[in-house]
Amino acid sequence: MQLEVAFGILGQTTMRMHGRLSTEWGSLKLQQLLATLLVKPKVRMGVNTLADWVWSTDERTPTDAPATLRTYAGRINKAIRDADAPAKLHTIDGTLHIDVERETIDYFAFESLLRSAQEHRKEHDHDTACAILGTALDLWRGQPLAVLKSQRAADWRYSAIQHTWLPANQLLLGELIALERFETALRKLDELQREHRTDIGLVRRRLYILRELDRTDEMGDYHIKTRKALLDEDPTAAEDLRKYYNTLLSEPEPRRSATRTTPGARGAAERLALVPLPRRPADPVTRNRPSSLLPAFAPQGPSLLPPGVTDFVGHQDLLTTLDELARTEDGRFRPGVVVLDGLAGIGKTALALRWAHQQYGQLVDTALYVDLHGFDGGHPAEAGDVIDELLDALGVPISRLPTRARKQAKLREIFAGRRALIVLDNAANSAHVLPLMFPLAPSLVVVTSRKSLTALASRHGARHCSVTRLNDVHAARVLSSRIGARAENEQNSLARLTALCGGLPLALQVVARHIESRHGAALTEFADELQDQNRLLDIGDDGDDPPTSIRAALSITYRALPTDAQALFRVIGLSPAPELTLPAAVALSGNSTRKTQHFLDVLVSTHFLTSRGKSGHYHLHDLLRAFSRELTEGAEHSDIRAEAERRLLSFYLHTSYAADRLLFPFRIPVPMLPAVPHAPALDFTIAAEAKAWLLRERANISAVVRWAAPRGYHDYAWRIPHNLYGLYRRHGMYEELRDLYEISATSTQAVEGGLDHEGGTRSDLGFIHLALGDQEAALREFHLCSAIAQQTRNTMGIAISLSHLGKYERQAGNLDAAADLHRRALHHATATGSPGAKSAALHELASTSQARGQHSEALSLYRHALRLREQIDHSHGQAESLTEIAAILAEQKQYDQARQHGLRALEIIESINDVEVGPRACEVMATINYALGDRQATIGYARQAARLATRSHNAPIEANAFHILSRALKDLGRLAAAEEGWLHAKAIYADLNNHAKAERVRQDLATLRTAPRPAIPTKPSMTT
């Protein structure tokens, strides 16, 4: 049964609402996220993957992408519930996926209809096939994923057009021809040729149909006009078109069949089906030089190429690049050298052979292949042997050429008269192929290697292509083509297996063989089994010789590395960080920066590492990481392994400490460990550098902390999070900070003298819980740190714990108890002699006095705190105190002074990007501007306050911001927007059990019933 389409991605992102597909259900970002999830229904997508889809390179990814995506997911779920659509978004282990039937999405409904049409075509039911194809193509409302501008979306869009939309149109043309509905086919061609005007395949179709319609005059005019256009763009294509036109003219006149399903009619459709699909229109090279029905010339020499891969997919961009490199600007054969390099098992040979087979009989008249055996564990082929092999392939008696010089000259002479393509596969290095350059000079030589062969480029101008991993779509197609129906029935498991293979064709092949060997097993069993990367390295080694496992392929490349490069590769796999940086590599190796950089370059050149594009940033494929770790697993490597790990931890600890000290010098620093010998530590001269490093290394530092504790490096695991506290708070990254601090608190219990450390850690952790609104967890941590401080008689710890408990009581509404706790905290803070601690205690006591309505006392305390914070250059603290001074001055109706203090606070907040104080400052400024009568400024500040409060999980300020925003909107007559804002504020106040403020909002909402509605403007007259 065909399901009703409920979601659309073939155009704008639509959802079925009130019986029709609508785009008016959510904001642009919600539509972008839903479109991304609908591309892979029921497949979990991680934060990084979603961010790559949703945010283009021109957009700034949110600082806290996980929180942003969760917020969007909640809003999408609400829209789905409101629309009663058959789907739901789920968040599991940090991933998102949409639970929806595939055929309720227009793209997959289209695919289903296309399959149905193909079945009817096989049964020669062309009428039904045409009707189904018309219905299917009507689902395309515009460019697929029209709301998404990212590279991932562009790649998917191109693939969808090339592999689904164009084939459907080609099939429809074939069916129309089979039905002898030539006029309809011609109209369809008119549509397609608006964007593919000189596509040679479509041009030939038009010529064929015009001949079938006996419109030979029009056929001739069209041929002349199109050939003239092609002569400027691609003379070769123009000549091919002339030959095809003459072939049509030389064939007998068409005879109409008595019935439309005769073999003659089907033959026409089948002949048309052989015409190549239109190429990508945006690519001038492939557009100007399409493939031909007839060969451009008769081959002179042999094609001694091995068979190509029958299920080859992907790498269309590289095939296009090879096309460009093999031709001059005017499309003629260009001799030279092209290097295809890439990791072992990445598909270099398959790509080279795929392209070579395409060129034989088109661009080249001779195609030869030689395996140089550079990386198969045997003896690499010598240049003399290669020359003998090529001469023998060309039918030259080698016995007539007694010297090597004569052989080289003969080979060069033969190739000088041909357009020859030579594939030299599996070269060990540049030296391996340099002796062959003279005899092969007249030819086009394609060399594949696991190394970059830079010497070949510098000496012989070799052009270069790196073969990259397959994307998820193509990788899944490789597996699907091998394992059949199980892939279609278990899409989630297929996606897991694809991800585990990481786009590596060799991995996909061995996994497919492994699955084929166990016919009855479900794919989920294989996905669970191969979750262990070491197991994935194992499969393929079944005792056959030579072994075909991934490990065997990688081992050959590894053994060919210089000794120092091998040593570096062994230790970089120890890092748990998702990205490797140059300083981290220096730490792992214990070598100088210069030496480490050199051998990183060696690993990049052999594709054991991938450069990220940013200088000094690298990525290690998961399979290579597993292989690297295997090399250091033995007991004989334990000391080297431990030393490298400690150097890495020392690097992250001391560098994060240096950044934190520069950014937050007023904070009490974490007690430090001495630096490990030969471990680097970055130093920062300006705050911007320190901040940039901490944010850039965020994912790496998080991974290192999570890895350190289970491995027993507790001295590092508890310290590193403390160096992140200040900046992460400032940027509102509380959830990540909470997770790291929970690790820190556990690790303090495993180190010597850990009680003091645990008290300080739990104090910070309690504050983090409080910021996240988890008051129960916050109170638990505050009591623990208070008990620890009392037990250890730590004056600073006592002051901080009392202050935190006071803040908790204030938020709970127990103002007298809060005031008492804050006074005691101030007493202990003063005893420490720390102006930072004392200013913090003064500020908290002032906040409690403010909450009690004691504005004069609060103002005096805030000003005292501000003076201390100015003395120690505590920017965050200054902004915090200035904001509250502005709030009190506004309460006292001193609006001009209040505004000046608020602007000073915002200036500091903007300079340090303080998300923690920012929401409150914007809320205060909204209140001040409302009192001053500036409604537009009120709206601007209130909206910013709401945005920042949502980001920093500050629900009270979010509600206050919507409350004041709605008042300003109502005053401007924007009643619907005011109602929406007040309802939102009311819901938040209800969740916070703040019944008094919820009642005020209810009263404000009641005023809307009597508010005058704005007049609807009439349509302006057209007369003057």
Side-chain angles (χ1 to χ4, degrees):
M1 183 181 70
Q2 186 74 34
L3 298 176
E4 182 181 53
V5 171
F7 299 95
I9 57 176
L10 299 177
Q12 301 292 317
T13 310
T14 57
M15 186 186 302
R16 186 166 293 281
M17 303 178 71
H18 313 299
R20 66 182 183 87
L21 290 173
S22 172
T23 59
E24 298 177 359
W25 60 266
S27 66
L28 175 62
K29 276 290 176 249
L30 300 189
Q31 293 192 30
Q32 289 174 331
L33 177 57
L34 179 59
T36 299
L37 294 168
L38 290 172
V39 166
K40 298 182 179 181
K42 299 185 179 181
V43 176
R44 296 185 188 180
M45 300 181 76
V47 170
N48 291 337
T49 300
L50 288 168
D52 286 346
W53 277 86
V54 174
W55 284 277
S56 69
T57 54
D58 297 328
E59 295 178 290
R60 184 177 178 183
T61 305
T63 304
D64 193 354
T68 301
L69 290 169
R70 282 194 297 274
T71 300
Y72 291 168
R75 294 173 182 171
I76 293 172
N77 265 331
K78 182 179 183 304
I80 289 173
R81 288 194 301 272
D82 292 345
D84 198 24
K88 186 175 182 181
L89 268 64
H90 297 280
T91 304
I92 301 174
D93 296 333
T95 64
L96 283 176
H97 77 277
I98 185 166
D99 188 4
V100 63
E101 293 300 322
R102 289 166 63 87
E103 288 190 14
T104 63
I105 304 165
D106 57 5
Y107 176 75
F108 298 102
F110 171 84
E111 287 191 326
S112 177
L113 289 168
L114 183 56
R115 288 192 294 271
S116 176
Q118 289 167 337
E119 291 299 319
H120 283 282
R121 175 180 179 275
K122 290 177 183 177
E123 299 298 322
H124 311 306
D125 186 359
H126 303 298
D127 281 304
T128 304
C130 274
I132 293 172
L133 287 166
T135 301
L137 288 165
D138 284 344
L139 292 172
W140 289 68
R141 297 165 287 107
Q143 286 286 318
L145 302 184
V147 296
L148 287 166
K149 309 302 179 187
S150 64
Q151 185 59 48
R152 278 184 179 256
D155 292 343
W156 189 91
R157 187 180 300 118
Y158 173 64
S159 178
I161 291 171
Q162 291 293 313
H163 302 302
T164 55
W165 184 78
L166 278 174
N169 280 285
Q170 298 280 3
L171 181 60
L172 179 57
L173 281 171
E175 295 305 278
L176 290 171
I177 291 168
L179 293 167
E180 298 183 358
R181 291 166 58 184
F182 297 114
E183 293 289 353
T184 305
L186 208 54
R187 287 194 295 273
K188 187 65 182 175
L189 271 172
D190 289 341
E191 296 174 13
L192 295 173
Q193 288 191 297
R194 290 193 190 107
E195 292 185 14
H196 307 272
R197 184 175 60 86
T198 57
D199 183 283
I200 197 70
L202 296 179
V203 168
R204 289 184 178 126
R205 276 186 163 86
R206 182 174 290 275
L207 290 172
Y208 179 89
I209 292 171
L210 290 173
R211 196 200 72 151
E212 293 291 300
L213 291 171
D214 295 327
R215 290 158 61 173
T216 52
D217 289 343
E218 184 180 343
M219 176 186 172
D221 292 341
Y222 176 73
H223 164 250
I224 293 170
K225 178 182 176 182
T226 307
R227 185 165 173 267
K228 183 178 179 181
L230 282 172
L231 280 170
D232 295 330
E233 297 178 6
D234 191 343
T236 303
E239 178 62 14
D240 289 348
L241 181 62
R242 184 188 65 79
K243 292 179 180 179
Y244 180 72
Y245 175 73
N246 291 336
T247 301
L248 286 177
L249 292 180
S250 65
E251 290 180 355
E253 289 293 318
R255 292 185 298 174
R256 299 288 171 259
S257 54
T259 62
R260 292 182 303 185
T261 56
T262 63
R266 291 198 300 273
E270 288 161 2
R271 289 197 300 276
L272 266 292
L274 297 175
V275 179
L277 295 179
R279 300 281 184 96
R280 188 178 187 176
D283 184 343
V285 175
T286 54
R287 183 184 67 233
N288 296 342
R289 194 200 39 70
S291 48
S292 171
L293 274 180
L294 301 174
F297 51 84
Q300 297 181 21
S303 170
L304 299 179
L305 299 170
V309 177
T310 56
D311 55 355
F312 183 91
V313 297
H315 294 313
Q316 185 59 48
D317 56 338
L318 290 177
L319 290 169
T320 299
T321 300
L322 287 171
D323 287 346
E324 295 174 3
L325 296 177
R327 288 169 169 80
T328 60
E329 290 186 1
D330 58 0
R332 291 178 296 174
F333 174 79
R334 179 165 68 178
V337 183
V338 177
V339 175
L340 286 176
D341 61 42
L343 180 67
I346 201 71
K348 301 180 293 296
T349 302
L351 175 65
L353 290 176
R354 174 75 168 193
W355 183 76
H357 279 291
Q358 290 176 348
Q359 303 313 308
Y360 181 66
Q362 296 290 327
L363 176 69
V364 302
D365 58 14
T366 302
L368 303 173
Y369 169 90
V370 179
D371 187 350
L372 300 180
H373 301 287
F375 286 97
D376 60 6
H379 183 67
E382 300 285 348
D385 296 331
V386 172
I387 292 170
D388 286 351
E389 186 175 342
L390 290 171
L391 287 169
D392 184 61
L394 293 166
V396 177
I398 300 173
S399 58
R400 298 179 187 174
L401 306 168
T403 66
R404 180 171 178 175
R406 292 276 300 277
K407 292 176 181 177
Q408 289 183 342
K410 185 63 174 178
L411 199 57
R412 186 180 177 101
E413 176 191 335
I414 293 172
F415 288 144
R418 301 189 182 190
R419 289 186 278 182
L421 168 63
I422 318 297
V423 177
L424 299 179
D425 192 24
N426 204 12
N429 48 41
S430 293
H432 196 179
V433 293
L434 282 172
L436 296 169
M437 292 299 98
F438 172 76
L440 302 184
S443 309
L444 174 60
V445 182
V446 175
V447 185
T448 74
S449 179
R450 300 181 190 183
K451 294 185 177 181
S452 296
L453 307 188
T454 51
L456 202 60
S458 61
R459 295 188 191 181
H460 292 274
R463 290 147 288 169
H464 176 268
C465 294
S466 286
V467 183
T468 56
R469 291 176 286 166
L470 295 172
N471 62 32
D472 292 345
V473 173
H474 292 150
R477 285 179 58 193
V478 171
L479 275 181
S480 299
S481 68
R482 296 289 300 273
I483 60 182
R486 280 185 284 182
E488 183 65 29
N489 298 333
E490 299 184 61
Q491 288 289 314
N492 288 343
S493 297
L494 177 68
R496 287 178 61 198
L497 288 166
T498 301
L500 287 170
C501 294
L504 193 66
L506 176 59
L508 293 164
Q509 291 167 14
V510 297
V511 166
R513 286 199 296 268
H514 185 57
I515 293 171
E516 288 172 335
S517 68
R518 290 162 55 187
H519 296 288
L523 292 189
T524 186
E525 295 180 27
F526 295 105
D528 293 340
E529 173 193 358
L530 300 178
Q531 193 70 42
D532 178 1
Q533 293 284 340
N534 290 325
R535 176 65 183 132
L536 190 52
L537 290 172
D538 287 338
I539 60 172
D541 190 359
D542 55 3
D544 196 12
D545 189 36
T548 58
S549 68
I550 302 168
R551 182 185 291 105
L554 297 177
S555 295
I556 294 171
T557 309
Y558 168 75
R559 288 194 294 268
L561 291 172
T563 302
D564 285 339
Q566 289 182 359
L568 178 59
F569 178 70
R570 287 195 298 270
V571 294
I572 61 175
L574 298 173
S575 171
E579 185 176 75
L580 178 72
T581 63
L582 174 58
V586 170
L588 287 162
S589 68
N591 293 324
S592 68
T593 299
R594 181 177 179 182
K595 182 176 181 179
T596 304
Q597 180 67 75
H598 171 69
F599 287 108
L600 284 171
D601 291 342
V602 171
L603 294 177
V604 169
S605 73
T606 54
H607 301 277
F608 267 23
L609 272 180
T610 304
S611 177
R612 282 289 199 188
K614 294 178 290 185
S615 178
H617 291 254
Y618 306 91
H619 174 68
L620 184 64
H621 191 288
D622 288 344
L623 285 170
L624 285 163
R625 189 187 301 274
F627 178 62
S628 169
R629 288 176 179 171
E630 276 191 354
L631 299 171
T632 58
E633 278 182 350
E636 67 275 16
H637 298 295
S638 59
D639 290 343
I640 295 173
R641 186 170 59 242
E643 289 169 4
E645 291 174 347
R646 280 195 295 270
R647 285 193 300 267
L648 180 70
L649 289 164
S650 179
F651 161 67
Y652 277 112
L653 173 64
H654 284 269
T655 302
S656 62
Y657 178 84
D660 180 64
R661 289 295 80 212
L662 184 60
L663 291 168
F664 305 98
F666 48 84
R667 288 191 68 240
I668 302 168
V670 67
M672 286 294 286
L673 297 171
V676 174
H678 307 296
L682 303 182
D683 197 12
F684 306 100
T685 56
I686 59 174
E689 292 177 349
K691 172 186 167 184
W693 185 86
L694 283 173
L695 293 176
R696 187 172 58 246
E697 292 289 321
R698 178 180 165 193
N700 290 338
I701 295 172
S702 179
V704 165
V705 172
R706 297 171 193 275
W707 163 84
R711 295 185 70 82
Y713 294 114
H714 296 291
D715 278 322
Y716 294 93
W718 85 261
R719 284 179 168 87
I720 293 175
H722 285 263
N723 294 333
L724 311 176
Y725 182 80
L727 189 70
Y728 280 29
R729 267 187 61 185
R730 179 177 291 175
H731 284 264
M733 297 186 289
Y734 286 107
E735 291 178 326
E736 186 171 348
L737 200 57
R738 175 199 59 201
D739 296 343
L740 295 177
Y741 258 82
E742 285 175 349
I743 296 170
S744 176
T746 302
S747 286
T748 58
Q749 299 171 6
V751 299
E752 186 178 349
L755 206 54
D756 273 336
H757 308 327
E758 183 180 0
T761 301
R762 292 198 178 280
S763 175
D764 288 347
L765 182 55
F767 184 87
I768 296 165
H769 281 305
L770 200 61
L772 287 169
D774 191 344
Q775 296 186 341
E776 183 179 344
L779 185 60
R780 181 180 65 248
E781 298 299 336
F782 290 154
H783 280 305
L784 279 171
C785 73
S786 179
I788 291 171
Q790 296 289 343
Q791 181 180 344
T792 59
R793 299 182 180 179
N794 184 324
T795 304
M796 182 66 76
I798 293 171
I800 293 173
S801 62
L802 288 170
S803 182
H804 286 343
L805 285 167
K807 186 169 185 175
Y808 174 85
E809 294 294 348
R810 183 174 71 241
Q811 290 190 3
N814 304 321
L815 300 181
D816 290 340
D820 178 62
L821 287 164
H822 283 309
R823 290 192 190 97
R824 290 165 58 194
L826 177 59
H827 170 75
H828 287 284
T830 303
T832 66
S834 166
K838 183 177 180 179
S839 69
L842 282 165
H843 185 93
E844 291 300 331
L845 179 57
S847 296
T848 300
S849 298
Q850 183 180 3
R852 300 172 83 187
Q854 299 167 345
H855 292 155
S856 296
E857 179 183 341
L859 192 59
S860 176
L861 290 167
Y862 280 134
R863 283 174 168 158
H864 189 179
L866 178 60
R867 288 192 296 272
L868 290 174
R869 287 171 164 179
E870 287 173 341
Q871 290 172 17
I872 60 175
D873 196 25
H874 183 353
S875 299
H876 166 82
Q878 292 174 52
E880 191 177 40
S881 296
L882 283 166
T883 297
E884 297 310 326
I885 291 171
I888 292 178
L889 290 171
E891 288 280 348
Q892 296 176 341
K893 303 190 185 308
Q894 300 180 51
Y895 296 119
D896 289 336
Q897 287 189 50
R899 185 172 178 275
Q900 290 172 15
H901 282 78
L903 290 173
R904 282 180 60 195
L906 286 174
E907 185 177 355
I908 295 171
I909 288 165
E910 289 177 7
S911 69
I912 62 175
N913 193 29
D914 196 332
V915 177
E916 186 179 356
V917 185
R920 172 61 174 161
C922 289
E923 177 206 354
V924 170
M925 287 298 292
T927 302
I928 293 168
N929 279 278
Y930 187 82
L932 291 170
D934 190 340
R935 297 296 184 262
Q936 292 298 342
T938 301
I939 291 170
Y941 282 120
R943 282 179 171 159
Q944 182 69 350
R947 280 194 292 267
L948 292 173
T950 302
R951 178 175 167 187
S952 58
H953 308 281
N954 196 325
I957 289 180
E958 182 183 1
N960 294 343
F962 275 108
H963 196 174
I964 189 69
L965 170 65
S966 293
R967 285 186 173 178
L969 289 169
K970 182 205 169 189
D971 291 347
L972 293 176
R974 298 163 64 180
L975 304 185
E979 181 180 27
E980 182 181 355
W982 272 329
L983 288 171
H984 190 69
K986 182 183 176 184
I988 297 174
Y989 286 139
D991 290 341
L992 295 172
N993 290 320
N994 193 330
H995 302 298
K997 287 195 173 182
E999 175 60 22
R1000 283 185 219 164
V1001 175
R1002 190 192 66 75
Q1003 293 172 4
D1004 285 333
L1005 282 165
T1007 66
L1008 292 174
R1009 289 194 290 270
T1010 58
R1013 298 283 166 174
I1016 300 174
T1018 58
K1019 185 175 180 180
S1021 172
M1022 297 302 290
T1023 61
T1024 58

